[in-house]
Amino acid sequence: MARDLLGATLLVTETDGAVTSGLIVETEAYTGTDDPASHAGRGRTPRSEIMYGPPGVAYIYLIYGVHHCFNVVSEPAQTPGAVLIRALEPLTNLPLMATRRHLNPTSYSPLNLCSGPGKLSQALALTTSFNAASLQSSAIKIYPATTQLPHTTTPRRGITKAVDRPWRFALTNNPFTS
DNA sequence: ATATGGATGCAA
DNA sequence: TGCATCCATATT
């Protein structure tokens, strides 16, 4: 599931009409009640409830009180699971992304816009207000990849539990990863 | 290496 | 209520 999202296009339209989009180049899987690194790893809680619902909706939460992380609920209802989108190759409206990222909109590195889960959420203005939104809505759309692209498989990053599970996926030789 | 700083979940 | 923890980032 996390593999399938590699190469998909994520497009966000704000209420003010601003559009940003990017190609998904890095993902991580958090699946099942037996995954201690997942928010569902301690069972159903108010926060993890959405991961038990139907797939294809957004799960967005605040981490470290500072950054938002954007996930895609990935498993059938009753089975908890989500895919963390860790990096995008920015496609649409890069200067706006740069402004949101507090970078100089006329002098910035595209490599620094969406190369991390907090960065891409900031660049696409994805906050908890989008939590539980359908990913085929007017606000957020995901266009699936038509082919499975070459990718690497590694352990997940930034976690302290179940660090050995190889559930991080990234497009091979894509420079926009984190 | 370190500061940042809000929400969550669990214990008390 | 209090408190440890947290799927990170920017800055030193």
Side-chain angles (χ1 to χ4, degrees):
Chain A
M1 195 73 212
R3 282 181 185 81
D4 304 324
L5 283 170
L6 290 177
T9 299
L10 172 63
L11 187 144
V12 177
T13 304
E14 298 296 320
T15 52
D16 66 2
V19 174
T20 48
S21 76
L23 188 78
I24 297 174
V25 300
E26 180 181 348
T27 63
E28 279 178 3
Y30 291 85
T31 301
T33 50
D34 59 339
D35 179 2
S38 169
H39 289 164
R42 281 165 301 191
R44 259 185 217 243
T45 67
R47 180 172 64 173
S48 67
E49 181 65 27
I50 187 164
M51 297 176 77
Y52 287 79
V57 305
Y59 169 38
I60 302 178
Y61 62 89
L62 188 66
I63 186 74
Y64 299 121
V66 179
H67 296 287
H68 293 274
C69 288
F70 173 72
N71 300 252
V72 175
V73 176
S74 58
E75 302 301 311
Q78 308 312 317
T79 301
V83 175
L84 172 66
I85 309 302
R86 285 196 57 92
L88 303 175
E89 177 175 336
L91 296 178
T92 304
N93 215 339
L94 277 65
L96 176 59
M97 293 187 191
T99 300
R100 288 169 173 168
R101 295 262 304 111
H102 306 115
L103 303 172
N104 185 331
T106 60
S107 171
Y108 59 88
S109 169
L111 295 173
N112 194 31
L113 291 177
C114 302
S115 53
K119 292 181 185 181
L120 73 89
S121 296
Q122 186 175 40
L124 305 208
L126 292 168
T127 68
T128 51
S129 65
F130 288 102
N131 192 41
S134 164
L135 300 176
Q136 299 304 331
S137 65
S138 57
I140 307 181
K141 287 190 192 306
I142 288 188
Y143 300 93
T146 52
T147 67
Q148 181 154 309
L149 299 160
H151 61 271
T152 56
T153 302
T154 72
R156 295 175 290 184
R157 313 237 305 165
I159 57 174
T160 58
K161 302 166 199 160
V163 293
D164 54 317
R165 300 189 191 184
W167 289 355
R168 171 177 172 266
F169 310 95
L171 292 185
T172 303
N173 294 333
N174 187 294
F176 293 92
T177 53
S178 65

